[in-house]
């Protein structure tokens, strides 16, 4: 049953050096009632590009981690319904229609998972662990917040029922080898901070077996082999992120011990 009063939607985006992505995304968000960008003091022209959109509110805040940054953006929204999207994601026309329909139903859930198509240089990757990739992107502000203990691949804590949307997002995460490699290294370093908080003590298992398992699992069990050369690249870089995580954790532990002396 459709609600009598049309629901308003806020789109939230956090950015850092997204000059190559942000204009295309913002051009495609005319259906939203409010658009808010929180920028982490980009060193490229992201801020200037966003500032050129009169229908977009932009704020700048120093980056702590993804969870804190997302919660800050969430605090700025004036509407109940939130669509939190990354600068390298794109909504299809059918997904936008589904979102508009969903938020105006009386029996709507508190949050919705959205499946994503992983795009490798504008071509869809069918396997390599991405075939079941889904994430909560649409939710009610008053029913959700991001877990501050998950500082990368942050988790949304939802108080209420969750469902899944039918149509998918297109995720243009891979534009070049070096860019994706740097992204995976960055995520690995943030994950190291999570592991330090958990008091993880890295050893042979973490340094060698975990990265090897990551690659073998995605390449063989998750059928990355069927993605050809692209599958090898993606599975390798994801395994590299795991390797970096524990090497960085080793450094953090050493620094912590040194500071106590």
């Amino acid at each position: 049953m459709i609600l009598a009063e049309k629901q308003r939607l806020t789109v939230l985006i956090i950015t850092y050096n997204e000059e190559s992505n942000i204009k295309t995304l913002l051009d495609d968000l005319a259906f939203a009632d409010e658009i808010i960008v929180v920028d982490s003091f980009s060193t490229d022209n992201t801020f200037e590009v966003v500032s050129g959109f009169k229908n977009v509110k932009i704020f700048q805040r120093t980056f702590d981690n993804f969870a804190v940054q997302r919660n800050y953006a969430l605090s700025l929204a004036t509407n109940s319904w939130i669509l939190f999207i990354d600068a390298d994601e794109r909504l299809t026309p059918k997904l936008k229609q589904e979102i508009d329909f969903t938020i105006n139903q009386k029996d709507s859930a508190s949050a919705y998972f959205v499946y994503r198509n992983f795009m490798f240089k504008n071509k869809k990757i069918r396997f390599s662990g991405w075939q079941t990739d889904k994430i909560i992107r649409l939710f009610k502000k008053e029913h959700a917040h991001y877990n501050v203990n998950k500082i990368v691949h942050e988790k949304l804590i939802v108080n209420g029922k969750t469902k899944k949307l039918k149509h998918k997002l297109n995720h243009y995460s891979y534009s070049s080898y070096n860019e994706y490699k740097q992204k995976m290294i960055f995520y690995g370093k943030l994950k190291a901070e999570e592991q330090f908080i958990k008091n993880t003590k890295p050893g042979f298992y973490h340094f060698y077996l975990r990265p090897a398992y990551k690659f073998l699992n995605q390449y063989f069990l998750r059928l990355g082999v069927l993605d050809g050369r692209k599958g090898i690249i993606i599975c390798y870089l994801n395994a590299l992120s795991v390797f970096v995580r524990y090497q960085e954790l080793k450094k953090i532990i050493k620094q912590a011990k040194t500071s106590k002396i």
Side-chain angles (χ1 to χ4, degrees):
M1 185 177 295
I2 300 176
L3 293 168
E5 183 179 353
K6 183 173 174 57
Q7 298 298 291
R8 294 174 60 84
L9 176 70
T10 293
V11 174
L12 299 178
I13 311 159
I14 60 174
T15 59
Y16 179 71
N17 289 352
E18 292 287 357
E19 178 185 358
S20 62
N21 282 317
I22 195 65
K23 184 180 186 302
T24 303
L25 175 60
L26 294 178
D27 281 337
D28 197 40
L29 293 178
F31 76 106
D33 300 290
E34 179 180 53
I35 305 170
I36 296 174
V37 175
V38 176
D39 182 66
S40 303
F41 293 96
S42 292
T43 57
D44 64 1
N45 291 320
T46 298
F47 184 83
E48 289 74 16
V49 172
V50 176
S51 298
F53 285 80
K54 303 304 179 184
N55 63 325
V56 178
K57 303 172 186 176
I58 183 165
F59 301 84
Q60 287 189 301
R61 182 182 182 278
T62 301
F63 183 85
D64 299 306
N65 59 60
F66 286 106
V68 172
Q69 199 77 337
R70 286 182 182 276
N71 279 332
Y72 173 73
L74 193 54
S75 73
L76 301 172
T78 61
N79 297 314
S80 174
W81 277 105
I82 305 296
L83 176 65
F84 219 129
I85 189 169
D86 289 345
D88 60 0
E89 294 175 334
R90 300 290 180 269
L91 288 79
T92 64
K94 288 184 177 180
L95 178 57
K96 285 189 280 189
Q97 291 174 5
E98 185 179 10
I99 289 170
D100 183 64
F101 175 82
T102 298
I103 66 175
N104 284 288
Q105 298 302 302
K106 272 193 173 181
D107 61 347
S108 60
S110 296
Y112 289 85
F113 282 94
V114 182
Y115 284 96
R116 296 189 293 185
N117 291 317
F118 184 92
M119 309 299 288
F120 184 106
K121 294 183 178 179
N122 297 323
K123 292 186 178 180
K124 179 182 174 182
I125 289 293
R126 298 190 177 278
F127 303 103
S128 302
W130 292 103
Q131 57 266 50
T132 56
D133 177 43
K134 69 180 186 298
I135 190 168
I136 294 177
R137 282 289 183 245
L138 181 68
F139 57 91
K140 292 180 179 178
K141 176 182 176 180
E142 60 272 20
H143 293 170
H145 68 277
Y146 287 93
N147 181 355
V148 294
N149 293 319
K150 292 282 290 181
I151 61 179
V152 63
H153 297 144
E154 56 284 355
K155 182 179 180 181
L156 188 72
I157 305 299
V158 178
N159 180 20
K161 188 176 182 180
T162 61
K163 292 183 179 179
K164 301 172 187 175
L165 294 182
K166 176 182 177 182
H167 296 96
K168 294 184 178 182
L169 274 172
N170 288 327
H171 187 199
Y172 293 87
S173 185
Y174 190 109
S175 58
S176 72
Y177 176 85
N178 285 331
E179 182 181 307
Y180 193 72
K181 179 180 179 180
Q182 292 307 311
K183 183 183 292 187
M184 291 299 98
I185 289 173
F186 178 61
Y187 288 163
K189 290 181 176 180
L190 288 179
K191 277 285 189 180
E193 295 179 24
E194 281 187 11
Q195 294 299 316
F196 181 71
I197 294 171
K198 293 178 180 179
N199 200 33
T200 300
K201 306 297 182 185
F204 181 85
Y205 166 74
H206 301 91
F207 294 136
Y208 301 105
L209 297 185
R210 285 290 297 272
Y213 174 78
K214 184 72 170 181
F215 177 83
L216 294 173
N217 179 58
Q218 291 195 326
Y219 191 65
F220 291 109
L221 298 182
R222 303 289 287 163
L223 303 178
V225 63
L226 298 181
D227 286 321
R229 182 171 176 270
K230 298 172 186 176
I232 294 175
I233 293 172
I234 292 170
C235 296
Y236 163 72
L237 291 178
N238 288 344
L240 175 65
S241 183
V242 177
F243 177 77
V244 168
R245 179 193 313 173
Y246 293 107
Q247 291 295 330
E248 188 67 20
L249 175 59
K250 182 180 177 180
K251 293 179 184 178
I252 294 173
I253 292 173
K254 184 177 180 180
Q255 290 170 356
K257 289 180 178 178
T258 302
S259 65
K260 291 179 180 179
I261 297 175

